[in-house]
Structure formats: structure tokens, C-alpha cells
Amino acid sequence: MASTNDLKNGMTLNLDGELWNVVEFQHVKPGKGPAFVRTKLKHVLTGKVVDKTFNAGIKVDTANVDKRTMQYLYKESTDFVFMDTDTYDQIHVPAETVGDAAHFLLESAEATVATHDGVPLYVELPAAVELVITYTEPGLQGDRSTGGTKPATVETGYEIQVPLFISTGEKVKVDTRDGKYLGRINS
């Protein structure tokens, strides 16, 4: 249990049996009437964002969410298997929980896995990852300055849009939040 005065960004609350992350909060002390706390909460499982207002000083139930850096090992049927890099314990995370992060997961890549009472809640990847282009159509001579894009398949099998000058076999940096091309990596 914590008071609304103790809220911090990233804190996880248990409201009516649902887990919510505090995205932002603001203490408001109007000229008249009692103080209150205005919050923006993101549902841990669905990603839905809601605004909620609490009276200042009331107790809210905090959830104990364990975030650990884990290494992705392999995919087993529909589950992704991660290993805790400290204890070497393995955890099976369902594909629905991994979500879009699966598009950017390579074997032995590190990710943050959040669990609550041993149940995996979500998988967080770094903001950007480096992936190799496994297939893309060759660019035509003269396509260097047009600023157009073309589809390219990366080593995880996911398709992204890249500039016309990128060719098969090149390593690129990709944003894990929206799958956008961020730049070419010169090895």
C-alpha cells in the first residue's frame, strides 16, 4: 500500500484487480477545496491509457512487479523462452505477452521481462536494435537522392521500409516501438 502522495512515474498500481503503470502524475492544490492527484495510467496488459483522479493522501494498492534483464533463448511452439542472466532460471512467455517485440527479437538478445507473482506481464526491448537485411529489391541507378522507400525483410522475418540505397546483407538500426528504419550500421 502507498499513498497518492508517494506516486512515481513507472510505479505499478493494482486497481480493482487490474495492473496499471503510472505514466505521469500531477499534484493539484486548487484555491478552494481539497488537493487531488491527476494521473495518466497505462494498462499493463492491454496498453490502454486512461486519466484518473485521486483525492490527495488516499491509499492505493501497489503491485510488486519484478523487472529483470533476461536473454531470449528460443521459441518453443507459441512460447518464447527467456533465461534470467543472474540465476539462469528459464521462463516461458506466451506470444500474446511478447506482442510486437517478437518482430525484433533475435536469439541471445537481451530484453527486460516484467513479472507479477511469476506471471509474465510484458517484454520491453531496447529503443533500437540492429538487424541484417535478408532480402530487398535492388535499388535502381539514380535512386540515391529521391528519398523514396522500399520494403525490406530483416533477419527476424519482419518487413520494414528502408531507403532505396539499402541492399541485401546490410545491417540497419530499427526502432522497436514502431518498426521504423533509423539508419545504416557501418561494420
Side-chain angles (χ1 to χ4, degrees), residues 77-97:
S77 69
T78 61
D79 289 354
F80 290 77
V81 181
F82 288 86
M83 178 183 70
D84 189 320
T85 52
D86 296 330
T87 64
Y88 302 109
D89 290 340
Q90 292 185 9
I91 181 172
H92 288 254
V93 181
E96 307 84 64
T97 305

Side-chain angles (χ1 to χ4, degrees), residues 29-81:
K29 178 84 174 96
K32 262 185 166 171
F36 59 92
V37 179
R38 191 177 290 138
T39 63
K40 187 173 277 188
L41 304 174
K42 181 177 180 183
H43 195 277
V44 169
L45 299 176
T46 63
K48 179 181 174 188
V49 177
V50 297
D51 293 320
K52 189 159 175 64
T53 304
F54 298 96
N55 290 331
I58 67 162
K59 298 283 185 208
V60 287
D61 197 9
T62 58
N64 184 17
V65 174
D66 186 18
K67 291 183 182 177
R68 293 175 185 243
T69 300
M70 295 194 175
Q71 184 178 32
Y72 170 59
L73 297 178
Y74 55 90
K75 188 171 181 187
E76 185 177 284
S77 69
T78 61
D79 289 354
F80 290 77
V81 181

